[in-house]
Amino acid sequence: AQSVTQPDIHITVSEGASLELRCNYSYGATPYLFWYVQSPGQGLQLLLKYFSGDTLVQGIKGFEAEFKRSQSSFNLRKPSVHWSDAAEYFCAVGGSGGYQKVTFGTGTKLQVIP
Amino acid sequence: DTGVSQDPRHKITKRGQNVTFRCDPISEHNRLYWYRQTLGQGPEFLTYFQNEAQLEKSRLLSDRFSAERPKGSFSTLEIQRTEQGDSAMYLCASSLVDGELFFGEGSRLTVL
């Protein structure tokens, strides 16, 4: 069964500092991988996705993520965090074709301090 | 593209009552998903459709939950004999096959 682990429940960073949110997945074939962001009272918004090709993917708001098959990881990074990045971040895994659902992790809540 | 819309946005009901949520996906999307989210948790998969076919239903979902997508367009999620543990945000998302999910704003259920 597919699954996602986000080991960090809560992370606090200073504004302007770099950020890395960890995501490990379990999937039997080549996965589709996603990062979503959810601000308080808002819906889930896609930050970026990996389907194939270049393992370093760029997303919106200056985020990027790197797919590492050998480590079953898809960590999210940002070089300089802004106060508006405070939100909850969810990693998700799905599969190509056929009957594939998308499974989400439990999320990492990001706090940004001035 | 008007996005995914869900109705109602908030439902308060008494334990034992039935509730129904509706989701209108993005028109050209053939996949539709239902998730449940409780405070501090990630979206938990409930079920999904490809066109009108329900392809998978979570084993965690009791028989009190049923979903339909009769013509491959909008979908309904019905919860019968609601329990307090059903209180949650119910999220709908749609996608193309092998595509990213686009989420609605959610329908919040409160069971008293």
Side-chain angles (χ1 to χ4, degrees):
Chain A
Q2 61 196 68
S3 66
V4 175
T5 301
Q6 293 182 248
D8 303 307
I9 296 172
H10 190 215
I11 282 184
T12 300
V13 299
S14 298
E15 191 169 15
S18 63
L19 172 71
E20 181 167 26
L21 302 183
R22 295 183 291 165
C23 170
N24 291 97
Y25 68 89
S26 174
Y27 189 75
T30 301
Y32 286 0
L33 294 161
F34 310 87
W35 275 99
Y36 283 83
V37 61
Q38 187 175 39
S39 298
Q42 303 285 316
L44 285 148
Q45 181 184 22
L46 181 74
L47 282 176
L48 47 79
K49 64 191 179 202
Y50 170 78
F51 282 3
S52 65
D54 192 346
T55 57
L56 183 64
V57 293
Q58 303 296 322
I60 62 171
K61 304 184 181 185
F63 285 92
E64 67 178 26
E66 186 171 13
F67 170 56
K68 293 186 178 180
R69 184 188 300 275
S70 62
Q71 297 176 22
S72 298
S73 69
F74 189 57
N75 293 348
L76 182 71
R77 300 193 294 248
K78 186 170 185 178
S80 178
V81 169
H82 188 262
W83 64 266
S84 60
D85 293 325
E88 190 144 24
Y89 293 80
F90 296 96
C91 182
V93 65
S96 62
Y99 306 109
Q100 304 295 342
K101 67 184 182 186
V102 177
T103 300
F104 284 77
T106 52
T108 298
K109 182 171 259 188
L110 174 66
Q111 182 181 7
V112 180
I113 56 177
Chain B
D1 178 357
T2 58
V4 178
S5 63
Q6 294 187 243
D7 184 70
R9 295 291 308 279
H10 195 180
K11 178 73 175 178
I12 301 172
T13 191
K14 293 182 179 178
R15 186 164 50 98
Q17 298 294 305
N18 298 343
V19 297
T20 299
F21 300 113
R22 176 180 169 123
C23 172
D24 287 89
I26 294 171
S27 57
E28 63 268 26
H29 286 182
N30 46 17
R31 281 198 174 171
L32 187 147
Y33 297 77
W34 286 100
Y35 288 85
R36 177 171 62 192
Q37 187 177 27
T38 53
L39 197 63
Q41 298 296 314
E44 175 191 21
F45 172 79
L46 295 180
T47 188
Y48 84 106
F49 295 83
Q50 183 159 312
N51 301 314
E52 64 275 11
Q54 188 173 21
L55 297 188
E56 187 170 345
K57 183 176 175 179
S58 170
R59 285 174 295 205
L60 301 175
L61 216 55
S62 79
D63 291 341
R64 296 184 297 105
F65 287 72
S66 63
E68 293 183 342
R69 194 183 183 196
K71 296 183 180 178
S73 56
F74 74 92
S75 175
T76 58
L77 176 69
E78 182 183 18
I79 308 173
Q80 296 182 326
R81 305 181 302 282
T82 52
E83 301 172 357
Q84 288 186 323
D86 297 331
S87 295
M89 179 74 84
Y90 290 84
L91 300 171
C92 177
S94 70
S95 75
L96 297 169
V97 175
D98 295 352
E100 68 198 65
L101 272 62
F102 290 81
F103 281 87
E105 297 287 330
S107 292
R108 182 171 295 283
L109 174 65
T110 302
V111 182
L112 302 176

Coordinates of all heavy atoms in Angstrom, one line a residue, chain A residues 1 32 34 36 38 41-44 46 49 51 88 90 95-107, chain B residues 9 31 33 35 37 40-45 48 50 55-56 58-59 91 97-105:
Chain A
A1 N 0.8 -1.2 0.0 CA 0.0 0.0 0.0 C 0.9 1.2 0.0 O 1.9 1.3 0.6 CB -0.9 0.0 1.2
Y32 N 4.0 9.4 -8.6 CA 3.8 10.8 -8.9 C 3.8 11.5 -7.5 O 3.2 10.9 -6.5 CB 2.4 11.1 -9.5 CG 2.3 10.7 -10.9 CD1 3.4 10.2 -11.7 CD2 1.1 10.9 -11.6 CE1 3.3 9.9 -13.0 CE2 1.0 10.5 -13.0 CZ 2.1 10.0 -13.6 OH 1.9 9.7 -15.0
F34 N 3.7 15.1 -5.0 CA 3.1 16.4 -4.9 C 3.5 17.1 -3.6 O 3.6 16.4 -2.5 CB 1.6 16.4 -5.0 CG 1.0 15.6 -6.2 CD1 0.8 14.2 -6.0 CD2 0.7 16.2 -7.4 CE1 0.3 13.5 -7.1 CE2 0.2 15.5 -8.4 CZ 0.0 14.1 -8.3
Y36 N 1.5 20.2 -1.4 CA 0.4 21.1 -1.3 C 0.6 22.0 0.0 O 1.2 21.5 0.9 CB -0.9 20.4 -1.2 CG -1.5 19.8 -2.4 CD1 -1.0 18.6 -2.9 CD2 -2.4 20.5 -3.2 CE1 -1.5 18.0 -4.1 CE2 -2.9 20.0 -4.4 CZ -2.4 18.8 -4.8 OH -2.9 18.2 -6.0
Q38 N -1.5 24.6 2.7 CA -2.9 24.9 3.2 C -2.7 26.0 4.3 O -2.1 25.8 5.4 CB -3.6 23.7 3.8 CG -5.0 24.0 4.2 CD -5.7 22.7 4.7 OE1 -5.1 21.9 5.4 NE2 -7.0 22.5 4.3
G41 N -7.8 28.4 7.2 CA -9.1 28.7 6.6 C -9.1 28.7 5.1 O -10.1 29.1 4.4
Q42 N -8.1 28.2 4.5 CA -8.0 28.2 3.0 C -8.0 26.7 2.5 O -7.7 25.8 3.2 CB -6.6 28.8 2.5 CG -6.5 30.3 3.0 CD -7.4 31.2 2.3 OE1 -7.5 31.1 1.0 NE2 -8.0 32.1 3.0
G43 N -8.2 26.6 1.2 CA -8.2 25.3 0.6 C -6.7 24.9 0.3 O -5.8 25.7 0.5
L44 N -6.6 23.6 -0.1 CA -5.2 23.1 -0.5 C -4.8 23.6 -1.8 O -5.6 23.6 -2.8 CB -5.3 21.6 -0.5 CG -5.3 21.0 0.9 CD1 -6.1 19.7 0.9 CD2 -3.9 20.7 1.4
L46 N -1.7 23.5 -4.8 CA -0.5 22.8 -5.3 C 0.7 23.7 -5.3 O 0.6 24.8 -5.9 CB -0.8 22.2 -6.6 CG 0.3 21.4 -7.2 CD1 0.5 20.1 -6.5 CD2 0.2 21.2 -8.7
K49 N 4.9 19.6 -8.4 CA 4.6 18.2 -8.6 C 5.8 17.5 -9.4 O 6.5 18.2 -10.1 CB 3.4 18.0 -9.4 CG 3.4 18.6 -10.8 CD 2.1 18.6 -11.5 CE 2.2 19.3 -12.9 NZ 1.0 19.8 -13.4
F51 N 6.4 14.2 -11.9 CA 5.8 13.1 -12.7 C 6.9 12.3 -13.3 O 6.9 11.1 -13.3 CB 4.8 13.6 -13.7 CG 3.5 14.0 -13.2 CD1 3.2 14.0 -11.9 CD2 2.5 14.4 -14.1 CE1 1.9 14.4 -11.4 CE2 1.2 14.8 -13.6 CZ 1.0 14.8 -12.3
E88 N 0.5 25.1 6.6 CA 0.7 23.7 6.8 C 1.0 23.1 5.4 O 0.3 23.5 4.4 CB -0.5 23.0 7.4 CG -0.2 21.6 7.8 CD -1.0 21.1 9.0 OE1 -2.0 21.8 9.4 OE2 -0.5 20.2 9.7
F90 N 1.7 19.7 3.0 CA 1.4 18.3 2.8 C 2.1 17.7 1.6 O 2.0 18.3 0.5 CB -0.1 18.1 2.7 CG -0.9 18.5 3.9 CD1 -1.5 19.7 3.9 CD2 -1.1 17.6 5.0 CE1 -2.3 20.1 5.0 CE2 -1.8 18.0 6.1 CZ -2.4 19.3 6.1
G95 N 0.0 7.5 -8.4 CA 0.7 6.6 -9.4 C 0.2 6.9 -10.7 O -0.9 7.6 -10.9
S96 N 0.9 6.4 -11.7 CA 0.5 6.7 -13.1 C -0.5 5.7 -13.6 O -0.5 4.5 -13.2 CB 1.8 6.7 -14.0 OG 2.3 5.4 -13.9
G97 N -1.4 6.2 -14.3 CA -2.4 5.4 -15.0 C -3.3 4.5 -14.1 O -3.2 4.6 -12.9
G98 N -4.1 3.8 -14.7 CA -4.9 2.8 -14.0 C -5.7 3.3 -12.8 O -6.2 4.4 -12.8
Y99 N -5.8 2.5 -11.8 CA -6.6 2.8 -10.7 C -5.7 3.3 -9.5 O -5.4 2.5 -8.6 CB -7.4 1.6 -10.3 CG -8.2 1.0 -11.5 CD1 -7.8 -0.1 -12.1 CD2 -9.3 1.8 -12.0 CE1 -8.6 -0.6 -13.1 CE2 -10.0 1.3 -13.0 CZ -9.6 0.1 -13.6 OH -10.3 -0.4 -14.7
Q100 N -5.2 4.5 -9.6 CA -4.3 5.0 -8.6 C -4.9 6.2 -7.8 O -5.2 7.2 -8.4 CB -3.0 5.4 -9.3 CG -2.4 4.3 -10.1 CD -1.9 3.2 -9.2 OE1 -1.7 3.3 -8.0 NE2 -1.7 2.1 -9.9
K101 N -5.0 6.0 -6.5 CA -5.4 7.1 -5.7 C -4.3 8.0 -5.2 O -3.1 7.6 -5.4 CB -6.2 6.6 -4.5 CG -5.2 5.8 -3.5 CD -6.0 5.2 -2.4 CE -5.1 4.5 -1.4 NZ -5.8 3.8 -0.4
V102 N -4.5 9.1 -4.6 CA -3.5 10.0 -4.1 C -3.6 10.0 -2.6 O -4.6 10.2 -2.0 CB -3.6 11.4 -4.7 CG1 -2.6 12.4 -4.0 CG2 -3.5 11.5 -6.2
T103 N -2.4 9.7 -2.0 CA -2.4 9.5 -0.5 C -1.5 10.7 0.1 O -0.4 11.0 -0.4 CB -1.8 8.2 -0.1 OG1 -2.6 7.1 -0.6 CG2 -1.7 8.1 1.4
F104 N -2.0 11.3 1.1 CA -1.4 12.4 1.7 C -0.7 12.0 3.0 O -1.1 11.1 3.7 CB -2.4 13.5 2.1 CG -2.8 14.3 0.9 CD1 -3.8 13.8 0.0 CD2 -2.3 15.6 0.6 CE1 -4.2 14.5 -1.2 CE2 -2.7 16.3 -0.5 CZ -3.6 15.8 -1.4
G105 N 0.4 12.8 3.3 CA 1.0 12.7 4.6 C 0.2 13.5 5.7 O -0.8 14.1 5.4
T106 N 0.7 13.4 6.9 CA 0.0 14.1 8.0 C 0.3 15.6 8.1 O -0.3 16.3 8.9 CB 0.3 13.4 9.3 OG1 1.7 13.4 9.5 CG2 -0.3 12.0 9.4
G107 N 1.3 16.1 7.3 CA 1.5 17.5 7.3 C 2.6 18.0 8.2 O 2.9 17.4 9.2
Chain B
R9 N -21.1 24.8 2.6 CA -19.8 25.0 3.2 C -19.7 24.6 4.6 O -18.7 24.2 5.1 CB -19.4 26.5 3.0 CG -19.2 26.9 1.6 CD -18.0 26.3 0.9 NE -16.8 26.5 1.7 CZ -16.1 27.6 1.8 NH1 -16.4 28.6 1.0 NH2 -15.0 27.7 2.6
R31 N -11.6 12.7 -13.1 CA -11.5 12.0 -11.8 C -12.0 13.0 -10.7 O -11.8 14.2 -10.8 CB -10.0 11.7 -11.5 CG -9.6 10.5 -12.2 CD -8.3 9.9 -11.7 NE -8.0 8.6 -12.3 CZ -6.9 8.0 -12.1 NH1 -6.0 8.5 -11.3 NH2 -6.7 6.8 -12.6
Y33 N -12.4 13.0 -6.3 CA -11.9 12.4 -5.1 C -12.7 13.0 -3.9 O -13.0 14.2 -3.9 CB -10.5 12.7 -4.8 CG -9.5 12.1 -5.8 CD1 -9.3 12.7 -7.1 CD2 -8.7 11.0 -5.5 CE1 -8.4 12.2 -8.0 CE2 -7.8 10.5 -6.4 CZ -7.6 11.1 -7.6 OH -6.7 10.6 -8.5
Y35 N -12.1 13.4 0.3 CA -11.2 13.2 1.4 C -11.9 13.8 2.6 O -12.8 14.6 2.6 CB -9.9 14.0 1.2 CG -8.9 13.4 0.2 CD1 -9.1 13.7 -1.2 CD2 -7.9 12.5 0.5 CE1 -8.2 13.2 -2.1 CE2 -7.0 12.0 -0.4 CZ -7.2 12.3 -1.7 OH -6.4 11.8 -2.7
Q37 N -10.8 15.5 6.4 CA -9.6 16.1 7.2 C -10.1 16.6 8.5 O -11.1 17.3 8.6 CB -9.0 17.3 6.4 CG -7.8 17.8 7.0 CD -7.1 18.9 6.2 OE1 -7.8 19.7 5.5 NE2 -5.8 19.1 6.3
G40 N -5.4 19.2 12.5 CA -4.0 18.7 12.7 C -3.7 17.5 11.9 O -2.6 16.9 12.1
Q41 N -4.5 17.0 11.0 CA -4.2 15.8 10.2 C -4.2 16.2 8.7 O -4.8 17.2 8.3 CB -5.3 14.8 10.5 CG -5.3 14.3 11.9 CD -4.1 13.6 12.3 OE1 -3.5 12.8 11.6 NE2 -3.6 14.0 13.5
G42 N -3.6 15.3 8.0 CA -3.7 15.4 6.5 C -5.0 14.9 6.0 O -5.7 14.2 6.7
P43 N -5.3 15.2 4.7 CA -6.5 14.7 4.1 C -6.4 13.2 4.1 O -5.4 12.6 3.6 CB -6.4 15.3 2.7 CG -5.6 16.5 2.8 CD -4.6 16.2 3.9
E44 N -7.5 12.5 4.5 CA -7.6 11.1 4.6 C -8.5 10.7 3.4 O -9.6 11.1 3.3 CB -8.2 10.7 5.9 CG -8.5 9.2 6.0 CD -9.4 8.9 7.2 OE1 -10.0 9.8 7.8 OE2 -9.4 7.7 7.6
F45 N -8.0 9.8 2.6 CA -8.7 9.3 1.4 C -10.0 8.6 1.8 O -10.0 7.7 2.6 CB -7.8 8.4 0.6 CG -8.5 7.7 -0.6 CD1 -8.7 8.4 -1.8 CD2 -8.9 6.4 -0.4 CE1 -9.3 7.7 -2.8 CE2 -9.5 5.7 -1.5 CZ -9.7 6.4 -2.7
Y48 N -12.7 7.5 -4.7 CA -12.6 8.3 -5.9 C -13.3 7.7 -7.1 O -13.5 6.5 -7.1 CB -11.1 8.7 -6.2 CG -10.3 7.7 -6.9 CD1 -10.0 7.9 -8.2 CD2 -9.8 6.6 -6.3 CE1 -9.1 7.0 -8.9 CE2 -9.0 5.7 -6.9 CZ -8.6 5.9 -8.2 OH -7.8 5.0 -8.9
Q50 N -13.6 7.6 -11.5 CA -13.2 8.0 -12.8 C -14.4 8.0 -13.7 O -15.0 6.9 -13.9 CB -12.1 7.1 -13.3 CG -11.6 7.5 -14.7 CD -10.2 6.9 -15.0 OE1 -9.3 7.0 -14.2 NE2 -10.1 6.4 -16.2
L55 N -13.9 3.8 -8.3 CA -12.8 2.9 -8.5 C -12.2 2.3 -7.2 O -11.7 1.2 -7.1 CB -11.7 3.6 -9.2 CG -12.0 4.0 -10.7 CD1 -10.7 4.5 -11.4 CD2 -12.6 2.9 -11.5
E56 N -12.4 3.1 -6.1 CA -11.9 2.6 -4.8 C -12.6 3.3 -3.7 O -12.9 4.5 -3.8 CB -10.3 2.8 -4.7 CG -9.7 2.2 -3.5 CD -8.2 2.2 -3.5 OE1 -7.6 2.5 -4.5 OE2 -7.6 2.0 -2.4
S58 N -12.2 3.6 0.6 CA -11.4 3.3 1.7 C -12.0 2.3 2.6 O -13.2 2.3 2.9 CB -11.1 4.6 2.6 OG -10.5 4.3 3.8
R59 N -11.2 1.3 3.1 CA -11.7 0.3 4.0 C -12.0 0.9 5.4 O -12.7 0.3 6.2 CB -10.6 -0.8 4.2 CG -10.5 -1.7 3.0 CD -9.4 -2.7 3.1 NE -8.1 -2.0 3.2 CZ -7.0 -2.5 2.8 NH1 -6.9 -3.8 2.5 NH2 -5.8 -1.8 2.9
L91 N -13.5 17.2 2.0 CA -12.9 17.8 0.8 C -13.1 17.1 -0.4 O -13.1 15.8 -0.5 CB -11.3 17.9 1.0 CG -10.8 18.7 2.3 CD1 -9.3 18.5 2.4 CD2 -11.1 20.1 2.1
V97 N -6.9 12.4 -15.5 CA -6.2 11.1 -15.2 C -4.7 11.5 -15.2 O -4.2 12.2 -16.1 CB -6.5 10.1 -16.3 CG1 -5.6 8.8 -16.0 CG2 -7.9 9.7 -16.3
D98 N -4.0 11.0 -14.2 CA -2.6 11.3 -14.0 C -2.3 12.8 -13.9 O -1.2 13.3 -14.3 CB -1.8 10.8 -15.2 CG -1.8 9.3 -15.3 OD1 -2.4 8.6 -14.4 OD2 -1.4 8.7 -16.3
G99 N -3.2 13.5 -13.3 CA -3.0 14.9 -13.1 C -3.0 15.3 -11.7 O -3.3 14.5 -10.8
E100 N -2.7 16.6 -11.5 CA -2.7 17.1 -10.1 C -4.1 17.3 -9.7 O -5.1 17.4 -10.5 CB -2.0 18.5 -10.1 CG -2.7 19.5 -10.8 CD -1.9 20.7 -11.2 OE1 -0.9 20.6 -12.0 OE2 -2.2 21.8 -10.7
L101 N -4.3 17.2 -8.3 CA -5.6 17.4 -7.8 C -5.9 18.9 -7.5 O -5.1 19.6 -7.0 CB -5.7 16.7 -6.4 CG -6.2 15.2 -6.5 CD1 -5.2 14.4 -7.2 CD2 -6.3 14.7 -5.1
F102 N -7.1 19.3 -7.9 CA -7.6 20.7 -7.6 C -8.7 20.5 -6.5 O -9.7 19.8 -6.8 CB -8.1 21.3 -8.9 CG -7.1 21.7 -9.9 CD1 -6.6 20.7 -10.7 CD2 -6.6 22.9 -10.0 CE1 -5.6 21.0 -11.7 CE2 -5.6 23.3 -10.9 CZ -5.1 22.3 -11.8
F103 N -8.5 21.2 -5.4 CA -9.4 21.0 -4.3 C -10.4 22.2 -4.2 O -10.2 23.3 -4.6 CB -8.6 21.0 -3.0 CG -7.9 19.7 -2.7 CD1 -6.7 19.5 -3.2 CD2 -8.6 18.8 -1.9 CE1 -6.1 18.3 -2.9 CE2 -8.0 17.6 -1.6 CZ -6.7 17.3 -2.1
G104 N -11.6 21.8 -3.7 CA -12.6 22.8 -3.3 C -12.3 23.3 -2.0 O -11.3 22.9 -1.3
E105 N -13.1 24.2 -1.5 CA -12.9 24.8 -0.2 C -13.3 23.9 1.0 O -13.0 24.2 2.1 CB -13.7 26.1 -0.1 CG -13.3 27.2 -1.1 CD -12.0 27.8 -0.7 OE1 -11.6 27.9 0.5 OE2 -11.2 28.3 -1.6

